[in-house]
Amino acid sequence: MHSRVTHFEIPYDDGDRAKAFYRDAFGWQIVDMPEFEYTSVATGPAGEDGMPSEAGFIGGGMSRRSEAVAHPVITVDVHDIDAALASIADAGGSVVVPKQQVGEMGFVAYFRDTEGNTMGLWQSA
């Protein structure tokens, strides 16, 4: 089974400051999604659906720093988030935030690896 890195998340303390920094420093497209208390980040060309429209880059997001997401997070796309969480536990990792639905788009969960890093999982709906 191969799962790919598909997304990143950057936590912030001051949303306006962080959004301006990444927009100005890298030219990233920043789009607020207030219904999710989240900000979408496009690091390259994106289609109407907001997803990358060419190979070679991934998009991400930004949100208020929390205990679960206190540092940048790399998110891995999986076919079955429940099976991935079971595999993570079997490999010595632990669940930080269990599976949660994200609107009609899919599911997210966070886990801690054996080195203490918090990482994310995504399963499309």
Side-chain angles (χ1 to χ4, degrees):
M1 172 178 93
H2 293 277
S3 299
R4 64 186 173 103
V5 171
T6 187
H7 187 80
F8 63 84
E9 294 183 340
I10 300 171
Y12 58 71
D13 297 312
D14 181 320
D16 291 336
R17 179 179 65 204
K19 293 170 199 178
F21 173 81
Y22 285 98
R23 181 179 45 249
D24 296 346
F26 300 112
W28 291 355
Q29 182 181 359
I30 309 292
V31 178
D32 285 322
M33 301 173 73
E35 65 274 20
F36 297 111
E37 296 181 21
Y38 196 75
T39 299
S40 175
V41 176
T43 63
E48 289 183 22
D49 61 358
M51 301 303 291
S53 60
E54 64 182 49
F57 73 94
I58 61 172
M62 302 171 75
S63 62
R64 181 160 306 285
R65 187 177 317 277
S66 68
E67 187 175 321
V69 181
H71 304 285
V73 171
I74 296 170
T75 301
V76 179
D77 186 56
V78 295
H79 176 71
D80 182 339
I81 207 165
D82 296 311
L85 288 169
S87 293
I88 288 163
D90 290 346
S94 61
V95 176
V96 174
V97 176
K99 177 181 174 181
Q100 297 179 347
Q101 188 163 354
V102 180
E104 303 279 326
M105 296 179 284
F107 303 92
V108 66
Y110 295 91
F111 67 95
R112 188 160 290 118
D113 69 12
T114 57
E115 306 311 302
N117 299 303
T118 299
M119 305 286 279
L121 294 174
W122 175 259
Q123 175 188 327
S124 294

